Amino acid sequence: MATLADVARRAGVSPATASRVINGSSKPVADELRERVLRAVADLRYVPNAHAQLLARPQRSVVGVVVHDVSDPYFAELTRGLQRVATDHGRLVIICNSYRDPERELEYVELLRAQQVAAIVLAGSGYHDATFTARLAEKLAAYEATGGRVAVVGRHEHPGDAVMPANTDGGRLLGAELLRRGHTRIGVVAGPQVLTTITDRLDGLRAALAEGGHPLPAERVRYADFDRDGGARAAGELLDAVPGLTALVALNDSMAVGALTLLRARGVPVPGQVSVVGFDDMPVAADVTPALTTVRLPLVELGARAMTLALGPPADRSRVEVLPATLVVRDSLGPAPA
Amino acid sequence: MATLADVARRAGVSPATASRVINGSSKPVADELRERVLRAVADLRYVPNAHAQLLARPQRSVVGVVVHDVSDPYFAELTRGLQRVATDHGRLVIICNSYRDPERELEYVELLRAQQVAAIVLAGSGYHDATFTARLAEKLAAYEATGGRVAVVGRHEHPGDAVMPANTDGGRLLGAELLRRGHTRIGVVAGPQVLTTITDRLDGLRAALAEGGHPLPAERVRYADFDRDGGARAAGELLDAVPGLTALVALNDSMAVGALTLLRARGVPVPGQVSVVGFDDMPVAADVTPALTTVRLPLVELGARAMTLALGPPADRSRVEVLPATLVVRDSLGPAPA
DNA sequence: GGCTGCTAGGAAAGCGCTTACCTATGCGAT
DNA sequence: ATCGCATAGGTAAGCGCTTTCCTAGCAGCC
C-alpha cells in the first residue's frame, strides 16, 4: 500500500506539502508542486489510510447502525432512510444485525465504540427487561461520553434522541375501524410479548375497543413468533378457541400474511366470514389477495429522521419525535357478517 | 475517551504491560499486575481504539459489501448470507448501497480501500459497459494489490473469486416448462438490458424456446424498470402487441407481481388465459394469488459462499462457483388454453 | 560469593497521517 | 543597501496502540 511518504518522495516534496495538496488545505501550495503531487498520487494509486487520518485528526466518518435483521422488510425500509441521510452527510454505514438477540446488541454497541463511529443508531423494538435496558443505557452513555452521538428508532430505552412510530395510535386506528364496521368478536395475532412494539400496539387496540364498549378479553390474544408461521399458528388457535370470530388483527404484516394463508387453507372466506388486518404496510400487503388493510408507518422517514438527529447538531436535552401512523384500507377488511 | 495510557497509569504499570494483559499476549504477566490492569479497564470503561490498533498491527477486522440496494428483497437475502459468514469470522460489515449507479460502485470501492477493509464483496448484476468494467477491474486490482481480498456475486467482471447464480439455466428451465405445457406465444417482461443478469436469463430462455422449435421474436421482449411498476408497464405493452399471448415471463418476481396486478386490473384470468412466471423466488412469490411459479436462486447460500471465498485462504487462480437454479411450480402457471 | 541464565516488565520505536511551528526566501519600504 | 515582513515549504511532534529490544532482578550453579 502506497503511503503519503511514498507520494512525497516521488513528487520530491515533504509529506506536509503532499498532505496539504491532497486535503486541499487552506495553506497555499505552488502550482508546480501541486501538480507533481497530484501526478504522484495518480501514479501510485494512492488512497490515504482512513485509520491513520482518523488518528491524526479525530474526525469520524463512519456511522454504525444496529438493527434486528436487514433482510426483514421492516428494517430494510428503515435502513434505506438511514442510509440516504448518512450518504448525504458523506458517511459510510456499518450495519450490524442483532437477530433479535439483546446480548448481541450490547456487543455491537461496544464494537462500534471501538470503531470510533461518529454515531450509533439503534433500531428495532425495545424489550420489557429492566436489567437489559439498564445495561444498554449504561453502554450507550459510555459511548456518548466519548463524544459519540446516539439515536434510537422504535424504542425508548435511551434518554437521548429517539424517533418513534405511533404504534399505540396505530392500534387505536385499527380498533376504531373494526368497531365502526361492526366487529366485536376480535382475535389478536400478536408477536412476542417482551417487545415493546407489540405491547404498544396492543395497548392502543385495547383502548379503542374498551372505549367502544367491547373490551378485549385476554384469551383473545395469542402471542407467537413475529413471522408468517407464527401468524398462521396464532390464527389457527384463535379460530379454534373463539367461536363466531369475525376479525383477526395481526400485529405485523408478516403475521397477517400467515393468517391469510391459514384461512385460505381452512376455506374461510376473507373478508366474507373473517376480516384480517395487519400492521406496518410492508410492500407485500398490497400484493396479497385480498389486499391487506393495515397501518402504514413511515419507515423510510423514520430512518431518515433518526439519522438526521444523530448527525445534526446535538441538543441539550432529549428529543423524541413521533411519526404518525395512518390507516390503509384495502380488501381484507369488510363489515362484520350478520 | 480513555486511552491505554490512562489505564496503565491507573494500574501503575507501563502501557506495554497493559497492552499485554488486554490482548492476552503470550508474554506472561504477574497475577497481581494483571488484576490491577483489569480493574482499571473496568473502572474506565476502556475500549481500545480500533484505528490505533489497526495502525499498529495491520490486522483488518472489517469487511465491505457493495450491493445495489439492501432494501430490495433479493439483496436482503443475499446480505443475510454474507453477514452470517462475516460474523462467524468475527468481522464487522460495512454495507454500501450503490442504488444501481455504476459510478457510485466505483466510489465505494475506493472508500472501502481507504478503510483498509479485509475484503470487499461486490454483489449485484454486471453491466454491459466495457469502459465501466475496465475501470472497476482496475480499481479492484489496485485494492487487491494492497493485500485486500475481493469476491463478486452475480457478476463476472472480476478475474478473481466469483459466485454466480445459474441465471441462464434458470431461463432454460422456465422455457422448457412453458413449452411442455403448450405455451408458444410467450411475452417477456425484462429488466434493463444493460444488466448481465437480464441478458443471461434471457439467453437461457431464448435457447430453450429455440431448441423447442419456437424461437422468441424480438418484439415479444419488453425492457422496463426492474420493479413492480416496470413489470406492469411491460406486461401491458405485450398484451396489446401480441394477440393470443398465453404466457408472460417476468425476469424477476417484482416485475411478475406487477404483471399480475395489471392482469387482474384488466380482468384477464391467471392462469386461465395467461400464465405468469417469475424469477428469484422471493418471499412475495408464495404470498400472491395465484402463487407465483418462479425460479429459485439460493440467495442466502450465494452470499455465504462469496463471503467464505473472500475470508478463506486465497487461491492462486480465479475460482468461479455456480449455484444451481431450481424451478418452483405454483399456481400462476397452467396449460396453454386451447 | 560470584557468575550465568533466565524471566518479568519497561522504554521506545514506529504504524500513516495532520498540523503547529519554524526556516528560508523574496519583496517592498526606508 | 539594510531591515522587516509576508509567504511557501519543511521539520517534527503526536494521535493510541503493539512489539521489539533492553534492563533489572532473581534463582541456580560451581
Side-chain angles (χ1 to χ4, degrees), chain B residues 14 17 20 27-30 33 55-56:
Chain B
S14 75
T17 304
R20 292 198 262 258
K27 258 215 155 177
V29 174
L33 293 195
L55 211 54

Side-chain angles (χ1 to χ4, degrees), chain A residues 33-99:
Chain A
L33 293 196
R34 171 182 312 280
E35 279 265 307
R36 296 216 309 257
V37 170
L38 259 20
R39 184 154 37 240
V41 166
D43 289 351
L44 297 174
R45 286 166 186 7
Y46 169 75
V47 176
N49 180 324
H51 302 287
Q53 278 187 314
L54 200 128
L55 211 55
R57 159 165 46 85
Q59 185 241 90
R60 299 136 178 224
S61 69
V62 176
V63 300
V65 167
V66 182
V67 296
H68 286 341
D69 184 359
V70 254
S71 66
D72 177 328
Y74 181 95
F75 292 104
E77 293 291 302
L78 205 67
T79 304
R80 186 212 297 243
L82 291 167
Q83 285 250 14
R84 202 197 47 212
V85 175
T87 303
D88 289 350
H89 281 76
R91 305 308 233 286
L92 275 184
V93 174
I94 296 187
I95 295 184
C96 308
N97 281 147
S98 71
Y99 295 112

Side-chain angles (χ1 to χ4, degrees), chain B residues 122-162:
Chain B
L122 209 61
S125 173
Y127 299 89
H128 288 293
D129 177 341
T131 312
F132 166 72
T133 306
R135 288 171 65 203
L136 182 60
E138 203 260 358
K139 281 230 189 306
L140 291 178
Y143 167 68
E144 282 187 312
T146 71
R149 303 287 304 281
V150 172
V152 300
V153 192
R155 27 169 61 196
H156 18 224
E157 292 133 319
H158 173 67
D161 293 334

Side-chain angles (χ1 to χ4, degrees), chain A residues 28-335:
Chain A
V29 174
D31 286 349
E32 138 109 56
L33 293 196
R34 171 182 312 280
E35 279 265 307
R36 296 216 309 257
V37 170
L38 259 20
R39 184 154 37 240
V41 166
D43 289 351
L44 297 174
R45 286 166 186 7
Y46 169 75
V47 176
N49 180 324
H51 302 287
Q53 278 187 314
L54 200 128
L55 211 55
R57 159 165 46 85
Q59 185 241 90
R60 299 136 178 224
S61 69
V62 176
V63 300
V65 167
V66 182
V67 296
H68 286 341
D69 184 359
V70 254
S71 66
D72 177 328
Y74 181 95
F75 292 104
E77 293 291 302
L78 205 67
T79 304
R80 186 212 297 243
L82 291 167
Q83 285 250 14
R84 202 197 47 212
V85 175
T87 303
D88 289 350
H89 281 76
R91 305 308 233 286
L92 275 184
V93 174
I94 296 187
I95 295 184
C96 308
N97 281 147
S98 71
Y99 295 112
R100 289 212 171 68
D101 176 351
E103 282 313 312
R104 220 188 293 222
E105 279 185 346
L106 257 18
E107 263 173 45
Y108 276 131
V109 170
E110 199 83 355
L111 262 170
L112 291 172
R113 172 144 82 104
Q115 291 289 331
Q116 310 275 105
V117 294
I120 295 180
V121 175
L122 211 59
S125 173
Y127 298 89
H128 288 291
D129 176 341
T131 313
F132 165 73
T133 306
R135 288 171 64 204
L136 181 60
E138 204 259 357
K139 282 234 188 302
L140 291 178
Y143 167 68
E144 282 187 310
T146 72
R149 304 286 304 282
V150 172
V152 300
V153 192
R155 26 170 60 198
H156 17 224
E157 291 132 320
H158 173 68
D161 292 334
V163 183
M164 294 288 299
N167 281 318
T168 308
D169 287 357
R172 271 179 185 281
L173 287 174
L174 242 25
E177 183 69 15
L178 285 166
L179 289 177
R180 217 171 59 71
R181 304 208 180 207
H183 294 277
T184 55
R185 294 186 78 78
I186 296 170
V188 181
V189 173
Q193 202 170 2
V194 292
L195 299 181
T196 56
T197 301
I198 293 298
T199 52
D200 287 353
R201 293 176 181 186
L202 201 46
D203 286 350
L205 180 66
R206 274 216 178 88
L209 295 181
E211 283 162 21
H214 296 277
L216 185 71
E219 71 272 16
R220 298 228 189 116
V221 180
R222 283 294 192 287
Y223 300 94
D225 281 348
F226 216 2
D227 57 18
R228 218 165 303 227
D229 293 344
R233 198 169 64 69
E237 290 179 18
L238 286 164
L239 228 49
D240 295 338
V242 186
L245 188 87
T246 69
L248 238 24
V249 178
L251 260 26
N252 80 359
D253 285 346
S254 295
M255 300 191 87
V257 169
L260 239 31
T261 306
L262 178 108
L263 290 171
R264 164 154 339 144
R266 293 216 186 166
V268 177
V270 177
Q273 182 179 334
V274 173
S275 286
V276 174
V277 299
F279 214 112
D280 287 345
D281 195 28
M282 298 190 325
V284 71
D287 294 330
V288 291
T289 311
L292 209 54
T293 292
T294 186
V295 172
R296 171 175 302 158
L297 299 180
L299 295 174
V300 174
E301 186 63 19
L302 230 35
R305 286 302 307 157
M307 190 58 84
T308 303
L309 288 182
L311 296 181
D316 44 346
R317 53 189 199 71
S318 171
R319 289 174 293 194
V320 178
E321 294 188 5
V322 178
L323 265 45
T326 52
L327 192 66
V328 179
V329 179
R330 299 203 186 89
D331 305 338
S332 69
L333 171 61

Side-chain angles (χ1 to χ4, degrees), chain B residues 150-307:
Chain B
V150 172
V152 300
V153 192
R155 27 169 61 196
H156 18 224
E157 292 133 319
H158 173 67
D161 293 334
V163 183
M164 294 288 300
N167 281 319
T168 308
D169 287 357
R172 269 179 185 281
L173 288 173
L174 243 25
E177 183 69 15
L178 285 167
L179 288 178
R180 216 173 59 71
R181 304 208 180 208
H183 294 277
T184 55
R185 294 186 79 79
I186 297 169
V188 180
V189 174
Q193 201 169 3
V194 292
L195 300 181
T196 56
T197 301
I198 293 297
T199 52
D200 287 353
R201 292 177 181 185
L202 201 47
D203 286 350
L205 179 67
R206 275 216 178 88
L209 295 180
E211 282 162 23
H214 296 277
L216 186 70
E219 71 273 16
R220 298 229 189 114
V221 179
R222 284 293 193 285
Y223 300 93
D225 280 349
F226 215 3
D227 57 18
R228 217 164 305 228
D229 293 343
R233 199 169 62 70
E237 291 178 17
L238 286 164
L239 228 48
D240 295 338
V242 185
L245 188 88
T246 69
L248 238 25
V249 178
L251 259 26
N252 80 359
D253 285 346
S254 295
M255 298 191 89
V257 169
L260 238 32
T261 306
L262 178 107
L263 290 171
R264 165 156 334 145
R266 294 219 187 162
V268 177
V270 177
Q273 179 178 336
V274 174
S275 286
V276 174
V277 300
F279 213 110
D280 288 344
D281 195 27
M282 300 193 322
V284 71
D287 294 331
V288 292
T289 310
L292 209 54
T293 291
T294 186
V295 172
R296 172 176 299 157
L297 298 181
L299 295 173
V300 175
E301 188 62 17
L302 230 36
R305 287 301 308 157
M307 191 58 86

